[in-house]
Amino acid sequence: MKLSQYYAPTLKEDPAEAEVVSHKLLMRAGMIRKLTSGIYNYLPLGLRALNKVAAIVREEMNRAGAMEILMPTVQPADLWRETGRWDYYGKELLRFNDRHGRDYCLGPTHEEVITDLVRGEIRSYKQLPVNLYQIQNKFRDEIRPRFGLMRGREFLMKDAYSFDKDDEGAEKSYWNMFEAYKKAFSRIGLRFKPVQADSGAIGGDFSHEFMVLAETGEDTIASCKSCDFAANLEKAKVITPETTCRCDDEIPALEDIATPGKHTVEEVCEFLGVEPRKLVKTLLYIVDGNPVAALVRGDRELNDVKLRNLIGGNEIDFADEATVKKLTGAPVGFAGPHSLDKDVPIYADAELCHDTDWIAGGNKADTHVKHLSLGRDCTIEKFADLRMIEETDLCPECGQAIEFTKGIEVGHVFKLGTKYSESMDAKFLDENGKEKLLAMGCYGIGVSRIVASAIEQNHDDNGCIFPPTIAPYEVAVISLGGKDQAVNDKAEELYNQLISLGVDAALDDRKDRPGVKFAEADLVGYPMQLVLGGKGLKNGVIECKNRKTGEKSELPLDTFAEAFQQWRKQVWADWNLKM
Ligand code: ATP
Ligand code: MG
């Protein structure tokens, strides 16, 4: 590829709406262009990076025994009605009608379509296991599309679905995909971590997210400094040390205190001159339509995923103002556990039984109570782990110190069980001729998000620093010949030589000033740059630069092929990659 004929319109300035570095650089380097909110065109350089990610993912899927198919983007509503997700999925599902008025959606994921595809075709245990995947554009009408390719509305995903005859087989398929993901992300050159993830109402411990470690990540990971425990914050267990329960300690009688206009924990604590840890926070939620109260210490955060899982619910949301008023008899900010509507079950964080004599909301306007005893004054449905883990907590697996890091979710593996085969009646005959439901797993990789995360993880002030495996081109040959045709001819000869060696090379044969060419090569982030000038040609050398380390050296022109391959090996090694 010759840059003189290439379509890669660069920008001098960061686009105003771009908040994260990958979005800025992808735009500035002319790799993507926005069509409309969350929807992008891939230009030649961007598409090459995207295709390289897809190729590695495809290879590792095939190696793991999965088979590629391609399913449609447009999906009929009837399938989604079978699983109940037509109602449940919400506004992320883009719905529309055809000319006959039938309902359709753009596929945000393909559990329904794949289950429909195999039901009736997989009839016997002898046909199992099967793993089918595709690399295909998804559409999700995200509430806040942002960060360019990181959270688009239309984006490229690899989604795989496994079918097994029993739970044991499904577990094997799960770990098979888990290993394939590790191989794929390692081969791409990403620094990543698999972390325990919430598997929602389906239950079980079988869900992991693969996180690319980067400051700009939207997710927070709690990981142990000593063992390999790592979990998404919403999933991380908190171990409350076993001490004696103090709920039934004798304390003075419950007493109202006036707290005019003091709604928040901070306001109440300041007003009463107490520490937040002496308060009980009462949070009112609606879980699948029913009101629920949850209690945490004043200095803690409630983890609503834990609450939802404890109750076995699907959908959880804060109760609105009117509901709070109805259940507590007070405006928002004064809820307490002692005189709530008796139909509201109260769940308390495990830690709350280790202290007593609490301050809490009074269930009256501008009122709190003191001397609250959870044993004497309330009916607690259950004490359980309900709070968010904090960085000062200890590892739930080994008890050592933990740390928080930011991550970008690039993959998700999920053991589904029979959720979809049951609702869609996907059965087979087992060894004994008995009908059984297919045991399923689903496995996603954000192919386009990986391009963005690779840049989030690897960039500097000058631009992208692509791993050699997914760079649009692995090498840029930059000719500084200008009017000196001998230099230009030699640069083109070396470029052709690289092509014949099977190296993905680009030739910067444009008439621009050297400074412009260097800046653009850095901006695009070619991992290897070769620069030929008049002086080099005369001395029989070409300058080479490793974009990652910034190291520069020279390669001899007379033994160019061998010298290049050796240098290339070194560059790959700097990425911890094998050629
Ligand atoms: P998130 O929590 O980031 O919204 P998700 O849990 O909805 O992700 P999955 O349904 O598991 O994501 O989809 C599989 C993969 O697709 C994700 O791991 C992620 O890499 C990618 N992905 C999901 N949503 C988007 C999006 N809006 N833009 C780009 N990639 C996405
Ligand atoms: Mg999502």
Side-chain angles (χ1 to χ4, degrees):
M1 186 283 295
K2 293 180 180 175
L3 284 188
S4 57
Q5 293 147 26
Y6 212 66
Y7 189 63
T10 54
L11 302 175
K12 289 230 160 50
E13 305 286 334
D14 290 334
E17 87 256 22
E19 295 170 69
V20 296
V21 72
S22 62
H23 189 190
K24 291 176 189 167
L25 293 176
L26 282 163
M27 292 287 294
R28 276 185 45 206
M31 291 196 232
I32 59 167
R33 283 294 179 265
K34 181 167 124 178
L35 177 63
T36 181
S37 171
I39 302 180
Y40 291 87
N41 293 296
Y42 290 86
L43 274 49
L45 290 173
L47 183 63
R48 289 184 67 90
L50 185 76
N51 284 341
K52 286 189 177 183
V53 173
I56 294 173
V57 169
R58 178 176 282 120
E59 240 176 70
E60 291 306 329
M61 284 296 117
N62 292 344
R63 275 186 198 166
M67 289 161 277
E68 186 167 6
I69 59 171
L70 184 58
M71 291 181 271
T73 312
V74 173
Q75 307 185 5
D78 286 344
L79 288 182
W80 287 73
R81 291 199 176 100
E82 281 189 52
T83 59
R85 289 212 289 186
W86 187 254
D87 296 323
Y88 180 66
Y89 211 90
K91 290 195 170 165
E92 265 189 34
L93 192 64
L94 185 66
R95 303 153 204 248
F96 55 95
N97 298 116
D98 70 3
R99 64 168 78 205
H100 305 292
R102 293 186 199 106
D103 293 326
Y104 290 87
C105 64
L106 288 184
T109 177
H110 279 67
E111 282 81 11
E112 279 81 1
V113 175
I114 192 93
T115 309
D116 176 63
L117 181 66
V118 304
R119 65 175 162 184
E121 311 262 7
I122 295 179
R123 293 201 183 85
S124 156
Y125 71 95
K126 290 181 199 146
Q127 294 166 278
L128 298 169
V130 170
N131 187 325
L132 301 170
Y133 78 97
Q134 64 174 345
I135 297 176
Q136 187 245 22
N137 268 8
K138 297 284 179 277
F139 193 94
R140 295 183 181 178
D141 203 355
E142 297 273 355
I143 185 165
R144 273 192 77 196
R146 58 189 175 150
F147 302 160
L149 298 188
M150 205 93 93
R151 184 168 296 284
R153 295 201 292 166
E154 182 171 331
F155 58 96
L156 189 62
M157 195 203 283
K158 185 286 303 174
D159 45 327
Y161 305 87
S162 65
F163 300 90
D164 278 271
K165 65 186 167 83
D166 53 25
D167 207 54
E168 198 185 325
E171 200 173 314
K172 224 168 123 186
S173 294
Y174 180 90
W175 291 113
N176 181 39
M177 282 294 104
F178 186 93
E179 290 305 319
Y181 275 36
K182 284 209 298 201
K183 285 186 194 136
F185 297 135
S186 303
R187 271 184 66 194
I188 291 169
L190 298 168
R191 292 188 304 285
F192 69 96
K193 211 185 213 3
V195 309
Q196 298 170 14
D198 176 53
S199 48
I202 300 158
D205 249 344
F206 283 98
S207 177
H208 284 86
E209 288 162 351
F210 284 77
M211 297 284 190
V212 162
L213 306 172
E215 279 303 312
T216 41
E218 288 184 283
D219 288 279
T220 307
I221 308 160
S223 54
C224 182
K225 292 182 181 173
S226 312
C227 74
D228 20 307
F229 166 79
N232 192 319
L233 226 52
E234 64 180 25
K235 170 76 181 172
K237 280 199 201 90
V238 174
I239 303 295
T240 303
E242 296 278 337
T243 52
T244 38
C245 174
R246 299 192 50 202
C247 290
D248 296 318
D249 283 10
E250 292 250 348
I251 56 167
L254 197 63
E255 195 183 306
D256 280 359
I257 30 175
T259 48
K262 310 297 175 198
H263 302 261
T264 65
V265 170
E266 294 72 40
E267 287 165 353
V268 174
C269 288
E270 202 191 315
F271 184 69
L272 299 176
V274 296
E275 292 292 311
R277 55 175 300 138
K278 290 308 294 173
L279 258 67
V280 165
K281 252 196 294 202
T282 308
L283 301 151
L284 292 164
Y285 286 93
I286 302 294
V287 180
D288 297 341
N290 303 311
V292 168
L295 313 181
V296 281
R297 225 169 64 181
D299 57 337
R300 307 294 198 189
E301 287 299 322
L302 186 99
N303 181 332
D304 59 6
V305 172
K306 288 183 180 175
L307 178 65
R308 188 198 64 197
N309 289 347
L310 179 70
I311 301 170
N314 265 319
E315 231 173 329
I316 181 162
D317 225 328
F318 277 120
D320 60 24
E321 254 182 86
T323 312
V324 170
K325 190 134 200 213
K326 190 170 139 258
L327 300 175
T328 67
V332 172
F334 299 97
H338 61 287
S339 60
L340 277 181
D341 184 311
K342 62 180 183 338
D343 291 334
V344 181
I346 304 174
Y347 296 90
D349 181 54
E351 171 178 70
L352 290 177
C353 83
H354 297 142
D355 202 352
T356 188
D357 207 347
W358 301 101
I359 292 166
N363 293 334
K364 272 187 259 178
D366 297 330
T367 308
H368 278 72
V369 288
K370 60 179 180 180
H371 306 314
L372 175 81
S373 156
L374 294 184
R376 180 190 63 195
D377 305 320
C378 327
T379 310
I380 306 292
E381 194 77 25
K382 200 166 185 179
F383 285 90
D385 170 22
L386 285 181
R387 70 173 174 92
M388 295 297 289
I389 197 165
E390 292 175 11
E391 210 164 3
T392 46
D393 284 315
L394 297 176
C395 171
E397 283 176 12
C398 76
Q400 300 298 306
I402 57 165
E403 63 185 346
F404 283 5
T405 38
K406 289 283 179 195
I408 303 165
E409 181 194 324
V410 290
H412 198 169
V413 290
F414 210 112
K415 191 161 156 255
L416 286 171
T418 54
K419 181 180 156 93
Y420 294 93
S421 47
E422 192 173 342
S423 54
M424 296 186 69
D425 200 31
K427 291 182 180 146
F428 66 99
L429 293 177
D430 73 3
E431 290 90 331
N432 306 314
K434 257 182 60 188
E435 266 199 337
K436 276 178 77 178
L437 293 171
L438 288 165
M440 291 174 59
C442 70
Y443 318 93
I445 288 184
V447 176
S448 44
R449 188 182 278 182
I450 286 178
V451 175
S453 355
I455 298 172
E456 291 296 330
Q457 201 173 57
N458 307 285
H459 64 267
D460 61 14
D461 290 346
N462 299 328
C464 310
I465 307 178
F466 270 110
T469 46
I470 63 164
Y473 293 93
E474 197 183 332
V475 192
V477 180
I478 301 167
S479 172
L480 302 184
K483 294 201 178 80
D484 188 343
Q485 202 47 40
V487 173
N488 292 334
D489 288 348
K490 186 65 184 177
E492 184 160 350
E493 183 195 318
L494 295 172
Y495 159 75
N496 283 324
Q497 205 176 343
L498 289 172
I499 301 281
S500 64
L501 288 170
V503 179
D504 223 350
L507 175 67
D508 192 349
D509 56 344
R510 295 172 305 171
K511 298 284 171 261
D512 295 298
R513 282 181 295 113
V516 172
K517 295 183 166 193
F518 295 149
E520 250 178 53
D522 278 359
L523 176 62
V524 172
Y526 307 102
M528 290 175 254
Q529 296 172 16
L530 292 170
V531 183
L532 189 68
K535 209 165 115 201
L537 183 61
K538 210 169 79 203
N539 297 335
V541 292
I542 185 165
E543 188 179 279
C544 60
K545 175 172 140 182
N546 178 340
R547 177 72 177 90
K548 182 175 164 74
T549 61
E551 272 172 286
K552 287 181 184 170
S553 53
E554 287 177 339
L555 303 178
L557 289 174
D558 55 351
T559 55
F560 174 72
E562 298 99 283
F564 172 78
Q565 290 291 26
Q566 225 162 19
W567 175 58
R568 185 184 183 203
K569 221 183 252 168
Q570 185 50 53
V571 173
W572 281 61
D574 286 332
W575 280 93
N576 266 326
L577 290 167
K578 275 208 201 83
M579 270 167 49

